[in-house]
Amino acid sequence: MRGIRGKKVKVVKEGTLIATVDIGMTTNTGYCTTIDGKFDNSREGFEKFLHMIVASKNKFGCTEIMVGYESTGPYAEPLAQYLMDKPVKVVQVNPLHTKRLKEVNDNSPGKTDDKDPRVIGDVLRLGHALSVVVPEGDAAYLRRLNNGRERHVGERTALLNQIQQLVFLIFPEFKKVFKDVTIKTPRHILKIYTTPERIRTLDKDALGEEIRKRSWGKFGMREAEALINLARDTVGIKEGVAGIALDIQHILVQLEALNAFIEELETEMKKALDRIPYSARILSIKGLGVVTVAGLIGEVGDFSKFRTQAEIMKLAGLDLFEISSGKRKGQKRISKRGRSLLRKILYNAAVGTVRKNGIMCDYYERLIGRGMVRTSALIVVAKKLLRIIHAMLRDDRDYIQNYESPKRVVIKKAA
């Protein structure tokens, strides 16, 4: 090959079709690409991409088109939605697969926009594509509501953590009276009075009556007296208290707005579930509420599209795997390759159903009795819940506690 070497090509002009060949003794493998493969996230860009791949299909005499993308976030959703009613098959690729295969592509861990499509193509050729589940109608609406609620609940948790830290700075003894400063009564006190300097000047009887009314009798005079006495001798910081008080009041306003919005989201979830006939089937399971069922339907979409329970387990990432070699038998674990939010919803649902008198309490206790750790037992309960829901909707039946499937009668032929 020394005699046919040429100079290094420094620039590939725009519009050039790049064809590469893997040379073999009997068969060569070709790969075509173009430097002008980028397109915008707009109708014009999507149409440009569709025209490009349809033209390539016709030119090379292919029978179908498969469009694959890496499922790494919300940015692919508009394109997937656009292609759904087009003459193409839309699939997605697990980012973990592309991460592990990218070094095989060019023996480099590098990741670039030009390299990623080639790696995704390699994954598709190996047959590791995943179907794209796009919820429609009220199921799509529930997914957006659930995603919004999940995000805002996370924001609320962060604000509650911040307010506990700030209260500790100026009034560490506050938690001796109210162990949880995030509930309504202590939040009201912090909003109105905020600092120990203000609290120590209050009248014990007036504060006690205010606390009693706010807590519906749960707290009262005893808490008011303790709070005033502790405020008079607090070890909280003395400098910059006004700035911290301003921060606390601002956080409390944010919390009120977040709580109101989360309640609005949950109300919309209830309305959407009322429009979905089969939601009543899932709600018939004791321990599953509106938020849980809305999350399940939003994440799964149409349950009827999953023919087997194994398919829906894979979507949730609850399918099992093990790593064994030779005589070593690996421990079975869940793959965690599916939708993480669906897995979280099922886990929380399992926690709710294993409580005392819960529908899965006895089953859970049996698992613990066999020596299974609690977290693993909850995962097993979550898997059973998903199987039950799938079977209920498949057979169009409500939940029946302690249901026993009819035993098959085997009739032996006479000899």
Side-chain angles (χ1 to χ4, degrees), residues 106-399:
D106 59 359
N107 197 31
S108 167
K111 175 177 170 47
T112 65
D113 290 342
D114 293 330
K115 178 180 177 181
D116 284 353
R118 297 199 304 272
V119 179
I120 292 171
D122 292 339
V123 174
L124 295 183
R125 276 194 290 272
L126 291 171
H128 295 306
L130 304 170
S131 59
V132 177
V133 178
V134 180
E136 299 174 351
D138 284 319
Y141 184 45
L142 284 173
R143 175 176 287 190
R144 301 307 171 193
L145 291 175
N146 191 52
N147 288 342
R149 184 185 181 278
E150 188 73 15
R151 185 170 61 255
H152 291 301
V153 166
E155 292 173 5
R156 181 174 64 182
T157 301
L159 289 174
L160 290 172
N161 290 336
Q162 290 174 29
I163 203 167
Q164 292 194 75
Q165 294 169 9
L166 293 172
V167 170
F168 179 82
L169 287 174
I170 62 174
F171 196 0
E173 300 86 355
F174 191 88
K175 290 197 72 173
K176 289 185 177 181
V177 182
F178 297 107
K179 292 183 179 180
D180 186 2
V181 301
T182 64
I183 60 179
K184 287 185 178 180
T185 303
R187 286 211 322 258
H188 170 75
I189 295 170
L190 289 171
K191 183 179 179 182
I192 303 300
Y193 307 113
T194 314
T195 65
E197 287 78 11
R198 182 83 183 278
I199 293 172
R200 71 173 63 139
T201 63
L202 298 174
D203 178 70
K204 179 182 67 175
D205 295 330
L207 181 61
E209 182 63 17
E210 186 176 0
I211 290 175
R212 187 188 67 79
K213 288 181 179 179
R214 279 283 167 179
S215 64
W216 295 83
K218 185 178 180 181
F219 305 114
M221 196 64 65
R222 185 179 62 181
E223 285 75 21
E225 185 177 2
L227 203 60
I228 292 170
N229 290 335
L230 290 169
R232 287 172 180 163
D233 196 29
T234 182
V235 295
I237 64 173
K238 307 301 180 187
E239 303 297 328
V241 173
I244 294 175
L246 193 65
D247 200 359
I248 289 173
Q249 290 174 351
H250 178 64
I251 290 173
L252 289 170
V253 171
Q254 288 180 284
L255 282 172
E256 287 182 1
L258 274 174
N259 286 332
F261 185 60
I262 290 170
E263 286 181 12
E264 184 180 351
L265 289 172
E266 291 174 359
T267 301
E268 287 298 310
M269 286 179 176
K270 176 67 170 62
K271 292 178 182 178
L273 287 177
D274 289 341
R275 296 191 296 267
I276 300 175
Y278 65 82
S279 66
R281 302 283 189 200
I282 310 177
L283 285 167
S284 69
I285 301 176
K286 181 183 174 183
L288 300 191
V290 168
V291 173
T292 299
V293 175
L296 288 172
I297 294 176
E299 286 297 296
V300 175
D302 188 354
F303 277 83
S304 65
K305 290 183 178 178
F306 297 89
R307 294 171 298 172
T308 65
Q309 293 182 346
E311 290 178 0
I312 203 166
M313 286 294 170
K314 201 165 186 177
L315 177 72
L318 292 174
D319 50 316
L320 298 175
F321 79 98
E322 67 177 57
I323 300 176
S324 301
S325 178
K327 295 182 179 180
R328 180 185 174 277
K329 182 78 171 176
Q331 183 180 356
K332 288 186 177 180
R333 306 175 189 273
I334 59 171
S335 68
K336 295 186 180 180
R337 292 289 187 269
R339 298 190 67 83
S340 58
L341 185 52
L342 174 58
R343 200 160 52 249
K344 178 181 177 181
I345 293 168
L346 287 166
Y347 185 86
N348 290 337
V351 172
T353 56
V354 300
R355 291 172 181 161
K356 189 176 181 180
N357 298 323
I359 61 168
M360 293 292 174
C361 181
D362 293 341
Y363 180 62
Y364 175 72
E365 292 298 333
R366 289 200 301 271
L367 294 173
I368 297 297
R370 294 176 196 166
M372 190 175 289
V373 297
R374 295 187 181 276
T375 305
S376 299
L378 284 170
I379 293 294
V380 174
V381 171
K383 292 179 65 176
K384 184 167 184 177
L385 276 174
L386 187 56
R387 285 196 298 269
I388 289 172
I389 293 169
H390 181 268
M392 286 168 52
L393 299 181
R394 180 196 63 205
D395 301 338
D396 195 24
R397 302 175 68 169
D398 286 339
Y399 177 74

